[in-house]
Amino acid sequence: MANVMSPIIAERIWALPLSGSAVKFLQYLVSRSDFGGGLSVRQKDMAAEYGVTPQAVSGLMAPLCELNIVLRPRSEERNGNSYRLHPLAAKYESPESMEAAFRAALVRIQAGDLPNLKLPTYRQAPPAATGRPKLQVA
């Protein structure tokens, strides 16, 4: 079975206004998520698996929620501490299932039923380093 990662996140992860620990935690969430973004693991179980306190999980989750990469259900829909990855940030079984999910997500975003990702835009990727770095010893 294939495992297709959203190129929207994979290609822009370097530009996200996140700490290194939040980026690493996002990678954990993607690996732990179901296809389509469901996170069936509870926050206290995430903490135990990731080796941090539940409060630390909340701290790592907060910037991801601010960017709408991780979605919290509305309080009346919550079932404990349930989260899910945004459909545009989730992994999928195949390129075809990802494309279908993206199309459905874009319709929901336009209808106001799903928040859009708050990702930085860029016109081009930063230039790659060329040649040898200029290192000097004082």
Side-chain angles (χ1 to χ4, degrees):
M1 184 177 297
N3 185 354
V4 183
M5 172 72 184
S6 167
I8 294 171
I9 296 297
E11 293 175 7
R12 292 193 193 178
I13 200 161
W14 59 267
L16 295 177
L18 296 172
S19 67
S21 55
V23 169
K24 187 176 174 186
F25 190 68
L26 173 58
Q27 292 170 329
Y28 160 77
L29 291 175
V30 170
S31 71
R32 193 62 173 80
S33 68
D34 301 326
F35 291 122
L39 287 164
S40 54
V41 62
R42 295 187 333 211
Q43 188 169 332
K44 71 176 188 174
D45 297 325
M46 284 183 208
E49 287 178 10
Y50 202 67
V52 296
T53 65
Q55 294 79 9
V57 168
S58 293
L60 292 166
M61 198 77 81
L64 300 173
C65 290
E66 283 179 32
L67 297 172
N68 293 331
I69 294 170
V70 174
L71 302 174
R72 291 182 193 159
R74 290 185 285 269
S75 56
E76 65 272 11
E77 297 172 0
R78 272 191 203 162
N79 181 9
N81 289 326
S82 59
Y83 298 94
R84 69 178 297 104
L85 293 172
H86 192 287
L88 299 179
K91 67 180 179 185
Y92 294 93
E93 297 168 278
S94 68
E96 296 78 18
S97 62
M98 181 175 65
E99 186 177 328
F102 279 19
R103 288 180 194 274
L106 293 175
V107 168
R108 290 181 60 207
I109 290 168
Q110 289 174 340
D113 184 40
L114 178 69
N116 202 351
L117 291 171
K118 296 178 184 174
L119 299 180
T121 57
Y122 62 91
R123 287 181 171 60
Q124 66 185 44
T130 57
R132 296 179 51 179
K134 293 179 173 84
L135 303 176
Q136 291 183 325
V137 177

